[in-house]
């Protein structure tokens, strides 16, 4: 594994840990319980869960482009939300706080709208950072001709 991928993976792991810490802090500070169901805890938790999923996607597949990583993370979040329709996550969550935090408890269509709120900003920042790195490194996004020079010059 290239060293740049290892560093990137570690940064994504750290980002996921930060998103989780913020979500847990919001729950602990606003309601005093990790089991709270208030709107602030629910909506911020959904957005931060999605952000953590985006970081996790890039941890697993570092070379993914931002839109593909975002689409993958969003598909995962929506799949987990729809999985709640089976009732199995609610059953597992009754016995485990970890299952509750990872799988949720019950389907809520509003949650489907909050997942993009946690992913879209990260996709935008990721894309912006890639462009800045390309400019800094002197990489051109313009198509090149057979001689390697940019067309239109």
């Amino acid at each position: 594994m290239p060293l740049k991928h290892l560093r990137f993976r570690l940064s994504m792991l750290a980002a996921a840990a930060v998103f989780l810490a913020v979500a847990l802090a919001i729950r602990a500070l606003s309601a005093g319980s990790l089991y709270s169901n208030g709107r602030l805890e629910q909506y911020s938790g959904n957005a931060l869960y999605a952000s953590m999923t985006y970081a996790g996607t890039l941890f697993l597949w570092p070379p993914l482009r931002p839109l593909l990583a975002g689409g993958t993370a969003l598909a995962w979040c929506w799949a987990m939300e729809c999985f709640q329709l089976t009732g199995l996550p609610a059953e597992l969550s009754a016995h485990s706080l970890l299952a509750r935090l990872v799988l949720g408890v019950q389907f809520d269509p509003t949650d489907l709208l909050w997942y993009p709120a946690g992913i879209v900003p990260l996709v935008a920042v990721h894309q912006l950072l890639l462009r800045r790195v390309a400019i800094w490194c002197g990489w051109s996004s313009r198509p090149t001709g057979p001689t390697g020079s940019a067309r239109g010059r």
Side-chain angles (χ1 to χ4, degrees):
M1 173 187 324
L3 184 58
K4 69 178 182 176
H5 283 186
L6 179 61
R7 278 189 287 222
F8 186 77
R9 281 185 164 177
L10 290 175
S11 67
M12 290 301 100
L13 189 59
V18 168
F19 294 134
L20 177 61
V22 170
L24 294 176
I26 289 171
R27 282 184 173 273
L29 294 174
S30 65
S33 169
L34 294 178
Y35 286 98
S36 63
N37 286 325
R39 287 185 181 181
L40 173 66
E41 297 89 0
Q42 286 297 108
Y43 299 155
S44 64
N46 289 329
L48 289 163
Y49 175 85
S51 297
M52 190 171 55
T53 302
Y54 183 80
T57 300
L58 289 172
F59 172 79
L60 294 173
W61 300 288
L64 281 183
R65 304 300 292 173
L67 286 176
L68 185 55
T72 302
L74 187 58
W76 171 267
C77 292
W78 283 349
M80 287 296 101
E81 191 66 32
C82 291
F83 180 51
Q84 293 171 2
L85 290 168
T86 68
L88 184 58
E91 186 177 320
L92 295 171
S93 295
H95 304 292
S96 166
L97 176 60
L98 181 61
R100 179 183 172 91
L101 294 173
V102 173
L103 301 174
V105 178
Q106 66 185 25
F107 178 79
D108 182 354
T110 306
D111 293 353
L112 297 172
L113 302 174
W114 281 98
Y115 295 131
I119 294 172
V120 170
L122 296 179
V123 169
V125 168
H126 188 180
Q127 188 65 43
L128 180 65
L129 289 173
L130 286 178
R131 284 189 186 137
R132 293 210 182 243
V133 167
I135 290 168
W136 186 70
C137 293
W139 300 331
S140 173
S141 60
R142 297 173 63 185
T144 58
T147 61
S149 62
R151 291 184 196 157
R153 285 192 185 172

